PDB file of all heavy atoms in Angstrom:
ATOM      1  N   HIS A 204     118.544 161.025  26.320  1.00  0.00           N
ATOM      2  CA  HIS A 204     119.921 161.559  26.226  1.00  0.00           C
ATOM      3  C   HIS A 204     120.944 160.513  26.713  1.00  0.00           C
ATOM      4  O   HIS A 204     122.012 160.395  26.118  1.00  0.00           O
ATOM      5  CB  HIS A 204     120.033 162.843  27.007  1.00  0.00           C
ATOM      6  CG  HIS A 204     119.193 163.961  26.452  1.00  0.00           C
ATOM      7  ND1 HIS A 204     119.536 164.619  25.281  1.00  0.00           N
ATOM      8  CD2 HIS A 204     118.030 164.506  26.872  1.00  0.00           C
ATOM      9  CE1 HIS A 204     118.606 165.535  25.038  1.00  0.00           C
ATOM     10  NE2 HIS A 204     117.662 165.486  25.959  1.00  0.00           N
ATOM     11  N   ALA A 205     120.614 159.795  27.753  1.00  0.00           N
ATOM     12  CA  ALA A 205     121.526 158.744  28.230  1.00  0.00           C
ATOM     13  C   ALA A 205     121.666 157.641  27.170  1.00  0.00           C
ATOM     14  O   ALA A 205     122.776 157.191  26.881  1.00  0.00           O
ATOM     15  CB  ALA A 205     121.047 158.173  29.570  1.00  0.00           C
ATOM     16  N   ALA A 206     120.546 157.211  26.625  1.00  0.00           N
ATOM     17  CA  ALA A 206     120.578 156.141  25.608  1.00  0.00           C
ATOM     18  C   ALA A 206     121.368 156.593  24.385  1.00  0.00           C
ATOM     19  O   ALA A 206     122.187 155.819  23.848  1.00  0.00           O
ATOM     20  CB  ALA A 206     119.154 155.731  25.230  1.00  0.00           C
ATOM     21  N   HIS A 207     121.144 157.813  23.939  1.00  0.00           N
ATOM     22  CA  HIS A 207     121.824 158.309  22.728  1.00  0.00           C
ATOM     23  C   HIS A 207     123.341 158.442  22.997  1.00  0.00           C
ATOM     24  O   HIS A 207     124.153 158.117  22.100  1.00  0.00           O
ATOM     25  CB  HIS A 207     121.251 159.659  22.303  1.00  0.00           C
ATOM     26  CG  HIS A 207     119.873 159.501  21.706  1.00  0.00           C
ATOM     27  ND1 HIS A 207     119.150 160.586  21.218  1.00  0.00           N
ATOM     28  CD2 HIS A 207     119.078 158.430  21.485  1.00  0.00           C
ATOM     29  CE1 HIS A 207     117.995 160.188  20.744  1.00  0.00           C
ATOM     30  NE2 HIS A 207     117.922 158.861  20.927  1.00  0.00           N
ATOM     31  N   ALA A 208     123.693 158.927  24.177  1.00  0.00           N
ATOM     32  CA  ALA A 208     125.105 159.097  24.470  1.00  0.00           C
ATOM     33  C   ALA A 208     125.833 157.773  24.553  1.00  0.00           C
ATOM     34  O   ALA A 208     126.965 157.637  24.067  1.00  0.00           O
ATOM     35  CB  ALA A 208     125.281 159.874  25.761  1.00  0.00           C
ATOM     36  N   LEU A 209     125.199 156.775  25.133  1.00  0.00           N
ATOM     37  CA  LEU A 209     125.855 155.492  25.319  1.00  0.00           C
ATOM     38  C   LEU A 209     125.894 154.660  24.042  1.00  0.00           C
ATOM     39  O   LEU A 209     126.895 154.034  23.708  1.00  0.00           O
ATOM     40  CB  LEU A 209     125.169 154.700  26.432  1.00  0.00           C
ATOM     41  CG  LEU A 209     125.305 155.250  27.828  1.00  0.00           C
ATOM     42  CD1 LEU A 209     124.383 154.576  28.803  1.00  0.00           C
ATOM     43  CD2 LEU A 209     126.758 155.093  28.326  1.00  0.00           C
ATOM     44  N   LEU A 210     124.810 154.677  23.322  1.00  0.00           N
ATOM     45  CA  LEU A 210     124.670 153.823  22.125  1.00  0.00           C
ATOM     46  C   LEU A 210     125.078 154.524  20.834  1.00  0.00           C
ATOM     47  O   LEU A 210     125.187 153.875  19.767  1.00  0.00           O
ATOM     48  CB  LEU A 210     123.271 153.297  21.988  1.00  0.00           C
ATOM     49  CG  LEU A 210     122.774 152.343  23.103  1.00  0.00           C
ATOM     50  CD1 LEU A 210     121.292 152.029  22.924  1.00  0.00           C
ATOM     51  CD2 LEU A 210     123.605 151.095  23.101  1.00  0.00           C
ATOM     52  N   LYS A 211     125.254 155.850  20.895  1.00  0.00           N
ATOM     53  CA  LYS A 211     125.617 156.603  19.695  1.00  0.00           C
ATOM     54  C   LYS A 211     124.594 156.468  18.563  1.00  0.00           C
ATOM     55  O   LYS A 211     124.924 156.192  17.428  1.00  0.00           O
ATOM     56  CB  LYS A 211     127.029 156.217  19.210  1.00  0.00           C
ATOM     57  CG  LYS A 211     128.122 156.428  20.214  1.00  0.00           C
ATOM     58  CD  LYS A 211     128.172 157.866  20.702  1.00  0.00           C
ATOM     59  CE  LYS A 211     129.182 158.076  21.803  1.00  0.00           C
ATOM     60  NZ  LYS A 211     129.075 159.417  22.406  1.00  0.00           N
ATOM     61  N   ILE A 212     123.335 156.590  18.977  1.00  0.00           N
ATOM     62  CA  ILE A 212     122.241 156.546  18.016  1.00  0.00           C
ATOM     63  C   ILE A 212     121.312 157.706  18.291  1.00  0.00           C
ATOM     64  O   ILE A 212     121.458 158.400  19.321  1.00  0.00           O
ATOM     65  CB  ILE A 212     121.436 155.217  18.137  1.00  0.00           C
ATOM     66  CG1 ILE A 212     120.870 155.086  19.567  1.00  0.00           C
ATOM     67  CG2 ILE A 212     122.314 154.023  17.778  1.00  0.00           C
ATOM     68  CD1 ILE A 212     120.002 153.841  19.749  1.00  0.00           C
ATOM     69  N   ASP A 213     120.367 157.934  17.397  1.00  0.00           N
ATOM     70  CA  ASP A 213     119.379 159.034  17.650  1.00  0.00           C
ATOM     71  C   ASP A 213     117.956 158.529  17.530  1.00  0.00           C
ATOM     72  O   ASP A 213     117.023 159.295  17.328  1.00  0.00           O
ATOM     73  CB  ASP A 213     119.616 160.201  16.694  1.00  0.00           C
ATOM     74  CG  ASP A 213     119.553 159.796  15.238  1.00  0.00           C
ATOM     75  OD1 ASP A 213     119.229 158.617  14.933  1.00  0.00           O
ATOM     76  OD2 ASP A 213     119.844 160.636  14.348  1.00  0.00           O
ATOM     77  N   THR A 214     117.791 157.206  17.671  1.00  0.00           N
ATOM     78  CA  THR A 214     116.440 156.635  17.620  1.00  0.00           C
ATOM     79  C   THR A 214     115.635 157.035  18.838  1.00  0.00           C
ATOM     80  O   THR A 214     116.168 157.082  19.967  1.00  0.00           O
ATOM     81  CB  THR A 214     116.545 155.081  17.579  1.00  0.00           C
ATOM     82  OG1 THR A 214     117.454 154.708  16.557  1.00  0.00           O
ATOM     83  CG2 THR A 214     115.187 154.478  17.311  1.00  0.00           C
ATOM     84  N   PRO A 215     114.382 157.393  18.689  1.00  0.00           N
ATOM     85  CA  PRO A 215     113.560 157.781  19.852  1.00  0.00           C
ATOM     86  C   PRO A 215     113.558 156.714  20.925  1.00  0.00           C
ATOM     87  O   PRO A 215     113.543 155.515  20.614  1.00  0.00           O
ATOM     88  CB  PRO A 215     112.161 158.005  19.252  1.00  0.00           C
ATOM     89  CG  PRO A 215     112.426 158.321  17.789  1.00  0.00           C
ATOM     90  CD  PRO A 215     113.602 157.525  17.400  1.00  0.00           C
ATOM     91  N   ILE A 216     113.539 157.130  22.166  1.00  0.00           N
ATOM     92  CA  ILE A 216     113.579 156.178  23.289  1.00  0.00           C
ATOM     93  C   ILE A 216     112.373 155.247  23.245  1.00  0.00           C
ATOM     94  O   ILE A 216     112.460 154.092  23.662  1.00  0.00           O
ATOM     95  CB  ILE A 216     113.641 156.972  24.635  1.00  0.00           C
ATOM     96  CG1 ILE A 216     113.827 156.008  25.806  1.00  0.00           C
ATOM     97  CG2 ILE A 216     112.402 157.794  24.825  1.00  0.00           C
ATOM     98  CD1 ILE A 216     115.173 155.356  25.841  1.00  0.00           C
ATOM     99  N   SER A 217     111.253 155.731  22.725  1.00  0.00           N
ATOM    100  CA  SER A 217     110.042 154.891  22.672  1.00  0.00           C
ATOM    101  C   SER A 217     110.242 153.674  21.782  1.00  0.00           C
ATOM    102  O   SER A 217     109.551 152.685  21.926  1.00  0.00           O
ATOM    103  CB  SER A 217     108.869 155.711  22.198  1.00  0.00           C
ATOM    104  OG  SER A 217     109.088 156.238  20.907  1.00  0.00           O
ATOM    105  N   LYS A 218     111.177 153.759  20.814  1.00  0.00           N
ATOM    106  CA  LYS A 218     111.407 152.643  19.896  1.00  0.00           C
ATOM    107  C   LYS A 218     112.524 151.712  20.338  1.00  0.00           C
ATOM    108  O   LYS A 218     112.646 150.602  19.806  1.00  0.00           O
ATOM    109  CB  LYS A 218     111.728 153.177  18.474  1.00  0.00           C
ATOM    110  CG  LYS A 218     110.590 153.950  17.832  1.00  0.00           C
ATOM    111  CD  LYS A 218     110.901 154.363  16.436  1.00  0.00           C
ATOM    112  CE  LYS A 218     109.761 155.121  15.761  1.00  0.00           C
ATOM    113  NZ  LYS A 218     108.511 154.309  15.696  1.00  0.00           N
ATOM    114  N   ILE A 219     113.343 152.150  21.274  1.00  0.00           N
ATOM    115  CA  ILE A 219     114.461 151.292  21.700  1.00  0.00           C
ATOM    116  C   ILE A 219     114.342 150.797  23.148  1.00  0.00           C
ATOM    117  O   ILE A 219     115.101 149.951  23.546  1.00  0.00           O
ATOM    118  CB  ILE A 219     115.831 152.014  21.507  1.00  0.00           C
ATOM    119  CG1 ILE A 219     115.865 153.304  22.366  1.00  0.00           C
ATOM    120  CG2 ILE A 219     116.106 152.301  20.052  1.00  0.00           C
ATOM    121  CD1 ILE A 219     117.194 154.003  22.341  1.00  0.00           C
ATOM    122  N   ARG A 220     113.383 151.340  23.897  1.00  0.00           N
ATOM    123  CA  ARG A 220     113.267 150.946  25.291  1.00  0.00           C
ATOM    124  C   ARG A 220     112.970 149.454  25.395  1.00  0.00           C
ATOM    125  O   ARG A 220     112.252 148.866  24.553  1.00  0.00           O
ATOM    126  CB  ARG A 220     112.179 151.727  26.021  1.00  0.00           C
ATOM    127  CG  ARG A 220     110.816 151.720  25.361  1.00  0.00           C
ATOM    128  CD  ARG A 220     109.718 151.735  26.410  1.00  0.00           C
ATOM    129  NE  ARG A 220     109.612 150.479  27.088  1.00  0.00           N
ATOM    130  CZ  ARG A 220     108.841 149.440  26.709  1.00  0.00           C
ATOM    131  NH1 ARG A 220     108.101 149.549  25.626  1.00  0.00           N
ATOM    132  NH2 ARG A 220     108.818 148.324  27.416  1.00  0.00           N
ATOM    133  N   GLY A 221     113.542 148.857  26.385  1.00  0.00           N
ATOM    134  CA  GLY A 221     113.313 147.411  26.606  1.00  0.00           C
ATOM    135  C   GLY A 221     114.158 146.497  25.764  1.00  0.00           C
ATOM    136  O   GLY A 221     114.181 145.286  26.045  1.00  0.00           O
ATOM    137  N   ARG A 222     114.845 146.998  24.784  1.00  0.00           N
ATOM    138  CA  ARG A 222     115.726 146.144  23.963  1.00  0.00           C
ATOM    139  C   ARG A 222     117.055 145.973  24.618  1.00  0.00           C
ATOM    140  O   ARG A 222     117.590 146.884  25.216  1.00  0.00           O
ATOM    141  CB  ARG A 222     115.889 146.741  22.559  1.00  0.00           C
ATOM    142  CG  ARG A 222     114.593 146.861  21.775  1.00  0.00           C
ATOM    143  CD  ARG A 222     114.905 147.375  20.349  1.00  0.00           C
ATOM    144  NE  ARG A 222     113.666 147.555  19.592  1.00  0.00           N
ATOM    145  CZ  ARG A 222     113.628 148.047  18.356  1.00  0.00           C
ATOM    146  NH1 ARG A 222     114.772 148.328  17.736  1.00  0.00           N
ATOM    147  NH2 ARG A 222     112.473 148.207  17.729  1.00  0.00           N
ATOM    148  N   VAL A 223     117.622 144.771  24.507  1.00  0.00           N
ATOM    149  CA  VAL A 223     118.926 144.488  25.112  1.00  0.00           C
ATOM    150  C   VAL A 223     120.029 144.706  24.078  1.00  0.00           C
ATOM    151  O   VAL A 223     120.001 144.128  22.986  1.00  0.00           O
ATOM    152  CB  VAL A 223     118.987 143.048  25.642  1.00  0.00           C
ATOM    153  CG1 VAL A 223     120.346 142.754  26.302  1.00  0.00           C
ATOM    154  CG2 VAL A 223     117.859 142.797  26.639  1.00  0.00           C
ATOM    155  N   HIS A 224     120.968 145.568  24.412  1.00  0.00           N
ATOM    156  CA  HIS A 224     122.061 145.916  23.524  1.00  0.00           C
ATOM    157  C   HIS A 224     123.377 145.409  24.148  1.00  0.00           C
ATOM    158  O   HIS A 224     123.583 145.530  25.347  1.00  0.00           O
ATOM    159  CB  HIS A 224     122.142 147.435  23.297  1.00  0.00           C
ATOM    160  CG  HIS A 224     120.941 148.029  22.711  1.00  0.00           C
ATOM    161  ND1 HIS A 224     120.801 148.354  21.369  1.00  0.00           N
ATOM    162  CD2 HIS A 224     119.754 148.384  23.311  1.00  0.00           C
ATOM    163  CE1 HIS A 224     119.625 148.868  21.172  1.00  0.00           C
ATOM    164  NE2 HIS A 224     118.965 148.901  22.311  1.00  0.00           N
ATOM    165  N   ASP A 225     124.291 144.903  23.308  1.00  0.00           N
ATOM    166  CA  ASP A 225     125.633 144.570  23.761  1.00  0.00           C
ATOM    167  C   ASP A 225     126.470 145.858  23.827  1.00  0.00           C
ATOM    168  O   ASP A 225     126.428 146.677  22.882  1.00  0.00           O
ATOM    169  CB  ASP A 225     126.311 143.584  22.849  1.00  0.00           C
ATOM    170  CG  ASP A 225     125.708 142.193  22.982  1.00  0.00           C
ATOM    171  OD1 ASP A 225     125.336 141.809  24.115  1.00  0.00           O
ATOM    172  OD2 ASP A 225     125.581 141.483  21.969  1.00  0.00           O
ATOM    173  N   PHE A 226     127.203 146.047  24.904  1.00  0.00           N
ATOM    174  CA  PHE A 226     127.881 147.317  25.130  1.00  0.00           C
ATOM    175  C   PHE A 226     129.234 147.091  25.783  1.00  0.00           C
ATOM    176  O   PHE A 226     129.332 146.352  26.798  1.00  0.00           O
ATOM    177  CB  PHE A 226     126.980 148.197  26.010  1.00  0.00           C
ATOM    178  CG  PHE A 226     127.569 149.542  26.351  1.00  0.00           C
ATOM    179  CD1 PHE A 226     127.594 150.543  25.383  1.00  0.00           C
ATOM    180  CD2 PHE A 226     128.039 149.817  27.612  1.00  0.00           C
ATOM    181  CE1 PHE A 226     128.117 151.793  25.688  1.00  0.00           C
ATOM    182  CE2 PHE A 226     128.557 151.053  27.899  1.00  0.00           C
ATOM    183  CZ  PHE A 226     128.614 152.050  26.943  1.00  0.00           C
ATOM    184  N   ARG A 227     130.260 147.656  25.246  1.00  0.00           N
ATOM    185  CA  ARG A 227     131.598 147.694  25.821  1.00  0.00           C
ATOM    186  C   ARG A 227     132.066 146.298  26.326  1.00  0.00           C
ATOM    187  O   ARG A 227     132.372 146.095  27.480  1.00  0.00           O
ATOM    188  CB  ARG A 227     131.703 148.696  26.947  1.00  0.00           C
ATOM    189  CG  ARG A 227     131.779 150.113  26.433  1.00  0.00           C
ATOM    190  CD  ARG A 227     131.889 151.129  27.570  1.00  0.00           C
ATOM    191  NE  ARG A 227     133.258 151.467  27.945  1.00  0.00           N
ATOM    192  CZ  ARG A 227     134.048 152.264  27.223  1.00  0.00           C
ATOM    193  NH1 ARG A 227     133.631 152.805  26.110  1.00  0.00           N
ATOM    194  NH2 ARG A 227     135.262 152.535  27.676  1.00  0.00           N
ATOM    195  N   GLY A 228     132.087 145.352  25.427  1.00  0.00           N
ATOM    196  CA  GLY A 228     132.706 144.081  25.732  1.00  0.00           C
ATOM    197  C   GLY A 228     131.922 143.201  26.656  1.00  0.00           C
ATOM    198  O   GLY A 228     132.504 142.649  27.611  1.00  0.00           O
ATOM    199  N   GLY A 229     130.634 143.051  26.410  1.00  0.00           N
ATOM    200  CA  GLY A 229     129.873 142.088  27.146  1.00  0.00           C
ATOM    201  C   GLY A 229     128.846 142.592  28.106  1.00  0.00           C
ATOM    202  O   GLY A 229     128.038 141.849  28.672  1.00  0.00           O
ATOM    203  N   ILE A 230     128.829 143.886  28.366  1.00  0.00           N
ATOM    204  CA  ILE A 230     127.775 144.485  29.251  1.00  0.00           C
ATOM    205  C   ILE A 230     126.468 144.511  28.465  1.00  0.00           C
ATOM    206  O   ILE A 230     126.410 144.821  27.271  1.00  0.00           O
ATOM    207  CB  ILE A 230     128.203 145.900  29.658  1.00  0.00           C
ATOM    208  CG1 ILE A 230     129.486 145.868  30.473  1.00  0.00           C
ATOM    209  CG2 ILE A 230     127.100 146.560  30.508  1.00  0.00           C
ATOM    210  CD1 ILE A 230     130.066 147.247  30.798  1.00  0.00           C
ATOM    211  N   LYS A 231     125.373 144.216  29.152  1.00  0.00           N
ATOM    212  CA  LYS A 231     124.057 144.305  28.575  1.00  0.00           C
ATOM    213  C   LYS A 231     123.476 145.672  28.950  1.00  0.00           C
ATOM    214  O   LYS A 231     123.423 146.092  30.093  1.00  0.00           O
ATOM    215  CB  LYS A 231     123.144 143.215  29.115  1.00  0.00           C
ATOM    216  CG  LYS A 231     123.643 141.818  28.834  1.00  0.00           C
ATOM    217  CD  LYS A 231     123.777 141.528  27.336  1.00  0.00           C
ATOM    218  CE  LYS A 231     124.192 140.100  27.096  1.00  0.00           C
ATOM    219  NZ  LYS A 231     124.452 139.840  25.645  1.00  0.00           N
ATOM    220  N   LEU A 232     123.037 146.402  27.911  1.00  0.00           N
ATOM    221  CA  LEU A 232     122.490 147.752  28.098  1.00  0.00           C
ATOM    222  C   LEU A 232     121.007 147.763  27.696  1.00  0.00           C
ATOM    223  O   LEU A 232     120.701 147.360  26.547  1.00  0.00           O
ATOM    224  CB  LEU A 232     123.282 148.794  27.315  1.00  0.00           C
ATOM    225  CG  LEU A 232     122.974 150.253  27.616  1.00  0.00           C
ATOM    226  CD1 LEU A 232     124.223 151.092  27.424  1.00  0.00           C
ATOM    227  CD2 LEU A 232     121.833 150.776  26.749  1.00  0.00           C
ATOM    228  N   ILE A 233     120.157 148.235  28.582  1.00  0.00           N
ATOM    229  CA  ILE A 233     118.714 148.300  28.347  1.00  0.00           C
ATOM    230  C   ILE A 233     118.245 149.748  28.521  1.00  0.00           C
ATOM    231  O   ILE A 233     118.300 150.266  29.658  1.00  0.00           O
ATOM    232  CB  ILE A 233     117.916 147.371  29.230  1.00  0.00           C
ATOM    233  CG1 ILE A 233     118.364 145.930  29.045  1.00  0.00           C
ATOM    234  CG2 ILE A 233     116.415 147.534  29.008  1.00  0.00           C
ATOM    235  CD1 ILE A 233     117.635 144.932  29.918  1.00  0.00           C
ATOM    236  N   PRO A 234     117.805 150.426  27.468  1.00  0.00           N
ATOM    237  CA  PRO A 234     117.226 151.751  27.637  1.00  0.00           C
ATOM    238  C   PRO A 234     115.813 151.662  28.190  1.00  0.00           C
ATOM    239  O   PRO A 234     115.067 150.718  27.881  1.00  0.00           O
ATOM    240  CB  PRO A 234     117.250 152.332  26.237  1.00  0.00           C
ATOM    241  CG  PRO A 234     118.071 151.396  25.405  1.00  0.00           C
ATOM    242  CD  PRO A 234     117.939 150.053  26.069  1.00  0.00           C
ATOM    243  N   THR A 235     115.425 152.657  28.957  1.00  0.00           N
ATOM    244  CA  THR A 235     114.044 152.747  29.402  1.00  0.00           C
ATOM    245  C   THR A 235     113.738 154.236  29.629  1.00  0.00           C
ATOM    246  O   THR A 235     114.607 155.112  29.504  1.00  0.00           O
ATOM    247  CB  THR A 235     113.786 151.918  30.682  1.00  0.00           C
ATOM    248  OG1 THR A 235     112.374 151.787  30.878  1.00  0.00           O
ATOM    249  CG2 THR A 235     114.399 152.563  31.925  1.00  0.00           C
ATOM    250  N   PHE A 236     112.498 154.515  29.992  1.00  0.00           N
ATOM    251  CA  PHE A 236     112.104 155.917  30.206  1.00  0.00           C
ATOM    252  C   PHE A 236     112.732 156.478  31.489  1.00  0.00           C
ATOM    253  O   PHE A 236     112.966 155.723  32.460  1.00  0.00           O
ATOM    254  CB  PHE A 236     110.573 156.029  30.321  1.00  0.00           C
ATOM    255  CG  PHE A 236     109.839 155.682  29.027  1.00  0.00           C
ATOM    256  CD1 PHE A 236     108.885 154.706  28.987  1.00  0.00           C
ATOM    257  CD2 PHE A 236     110.126 156.408  27.867  1.00  0.00           C
ATOM    258  CE1 PHE A 236     108.185 154.434  27.800  1.00  0.00           C
ATOM    259  CE2 PHE A 236     109.437 156.140  26.687  1.00  0.00           C
ATOM    260  CZ  PHE A 236     108.496 155.109  26.675  1.00  0.00           C
ATOM    261  N   HIS A 237     113.001 157.767  31.461  1.00  0.00           N
ATOM    262  CA  HIS A 237     113.573 158.433  32.624  1.00  0.00           C
ATOM    263  C   HIS A 237     112.466 158.584  33.703  1.00  0.00           C
ATOM    264  O   HIS A 237     111.308 158.842  33.381  1.00  0.00           O
ATOM    265  CB  HIS A 237     114.068 159.825  32.172  1.00  0.00           C
ATOM    266  CG  HIS A 237     114.961 160.479  33.197  1.00  0.00           C
ATOM    267  ND1 HIS A 237     114.486 161.053  34.358  1.00  0.00           N
ATOM    268  CD2 HIS A 237     116.320 160.672  33.157  1.00  0.00           C
ATOM    269  CE1 HIS A 237     115.527 161.555  35.032  1.00  0.00           C
ATOM    270  NE2 HIS A 237     116.640 161.359  34.336  1.00  0.00           N
ATOM    271  N   PRO A 238     112.816 158.449  34.969  1.00  0.00           N
ATOM    272  CA  PRO A 238     111.819 158.631  36.022  1.00  0.00           C
ATOM    273  C   PRO A 238     111.106 159.978  35.980  1.00  0.00           C
ATOM    274  O   PRO A 238     109.916 160.067  36.335  1.00  0.00           O
ATOM    275  CB  PRO A 238     112.639 158.473  37.317  1.00  0.00           C
ATOM    276  CG  PRO A 238     113.804 157.605  36.928  1.00  0.00           C
ATOM    277  CD  PRO A 238     114.115 157.987  35.500  1.00  0.00           C
ATOM    278  N   ALA A 239     111.803 161.032  35.582  1.00  0.00           N
ATOM    279  CA  ALA A 239     111.177 162.356  35.476  1.00  0.00           C
ATOM    280  C   ALA A 239     110.029 162.325  34.427  1.00  0.00           C
ATOM    281  O   ALA A 239     108.980 162.950  34.609  1.00  0.00           O
ATOM    282  CB  ALA A 239     112.202 163.407  35.117  1.00  0.00           C
ATOM    283  N   PHE A 240     110.227 161.559  33.364  1.00  0.00           N
ATOM    284  CA  PHE A 240     109.173 161.394  32.356  1.00  0.00           C
ATOM    285  C   PHE A 240     108.002 160.653  32.947  1.00  0.00           C
ATOM    286  O   PHE A 240     106.827 160.992  32.643  1.00  0.00           O
ATOM    287  CB  PHE A 240     109.750 160.665  31.137  1.00  0.00           C
ATOM    288  CG  PHE A 240     108.710 160.257  30.131  1.00  0.00           C
ATOM    289  CD1 PHE A 240     108.142 161.177  29.271  1.00  0.00           C
ATOM    290  CD2 PHE A 240     108.265 158.943  30.033  1.00  0.00           C
ATOM    291  CE1 PHE A 240     107.194 160.819  28.324  1.00  0.00           C
ATOM    292  CE2 PHE A 240     107.326 158.542  29.117  1.00  0.00           C
ATOM    293  CZ  PHE A 240     106.776 159.515  28.267  1.00  0.00           C
ATOM    294  N   LEU A 241     108.263 159.671  33.784  1.00  0.00           N
ATOM    295  CA  LEU A 241     107.169 158.908  34.407  1.00  0.00           C
ATOM    296  C   LEU A 241     106.351 159.772  35.346  1.00  0.00           C
ATOM    297  O   LEU A 241     105.129 159.527  35.507  1.00  0.00           O
ATOM    298  CB  LEU A 241     107.728 157.717  35.162  1.00  0.00           C
ATOM    299  CG  LEU A 241     108.501 156.678  34.330  1.00  0.00           C
ATOM    300  CD1 LEU A 241     108.963 155.545  35.226  1.00  0.00           C
ATOM    301  CD2 LEU A 241     107.651 156.141  33.180  1.00  0.00           C
ATOM    302  N   LEU A 242     106.980 160.754  35.969  1.00  0.00           N
ATOM    303  CA  LEU A 242     106.214 161.667  36.826  1.00  0.00           C
ATOM    304  C   LEU A 242     105.205 162.484  36.013  1.00  0.00           C
ATOM    305  O   LEU A 242     104.135 162.822  36.515  1.00  0.00           O
ATOM    306  CB  LEU A 242     107.166 162.589  37.564  1.00  0.00           C
ATOM    307  CG  LEU A 242     108.075 161.934  38.624  1.00  0.00           C
ATOM    308  CD1 LEU A 242     109.065 162.941  39.169  1.00  0.00           C
ATOM    309  CD2 LEU A 242     107.243 161.309  39.742  1.00  0.00           C
ATOM    310  N   ARG A 243     105.557 162.750  34.747  1.00  0.00           N
ATOM    311  CA  ARG A 243     104.649 163.510  33.881  1.00  0.00           C
ATOM    312  C   ARG A 243     103.691 162.597  33.131  1.00  0.00           C
ATOM    313  O   ARG A 243     102.612 163.018  32.724  1.00  0.00           O
ATOM    314  CB  ARG A 243     105.488 164.320  32.850  1.00  0.00           C
ATOM    315  CG  ARG A 243     106.427 165.320  33.476  1.00  0.00           C
ATOM    316  CD  ARG A 243     107.047 166.245  32.418  1.00  0.00           C
ATOM    317  NE  ARG A 243     107.804 165.480  31.384  1.00  0.00           N
ATOM    318  CZ  ARG A 243     109.101 165.214  31.486  1.00  0.00           C
ATOM    319  NH1 ARG A 243     109.780 165.538  32.546  1.00  0.00           N
ATOM    320  NH2 ARG A 243     109.669 164.548  30.497  1.00  0.00           N
TER     321      ARG A 243
END
C-alpha cells in the first residue's frame, strides 16, 4: 500500500521490491516488504 500510494502503480510488491525509483525531484525510493509481512 505504501509503494502503490507513493509511486501510483499497482504492480505487486514482490516485483518492484529492491528497485530504485526516482521520486519527487531527486529522492531515491526503494520499495520493500512490510515488517508485519516478515513476521508471517
Side-chain angles (χ1 to χ4, degrees):
H204 296 287
H207 288 182
L209 291 169
L210 295 174
K211 301 303 175 189
I212 59 176
D213 57 6
T214 310
I216 187 69
S217 59
K218 295 186 180 300
I219 59 173
R220 53 145 288 269
R222 297 183 183 179
V223 180
H224 301 259
D225 288 323
F226 180 74
R227 284 180 92 77
I230 298 173
K231 300 300 183 184
L232 190 149
I233 299 179
T235 195
F236 293 123
H237 195 285
F240 171 76
L241 298 181
L242 293 174
R243 301 188 301 270

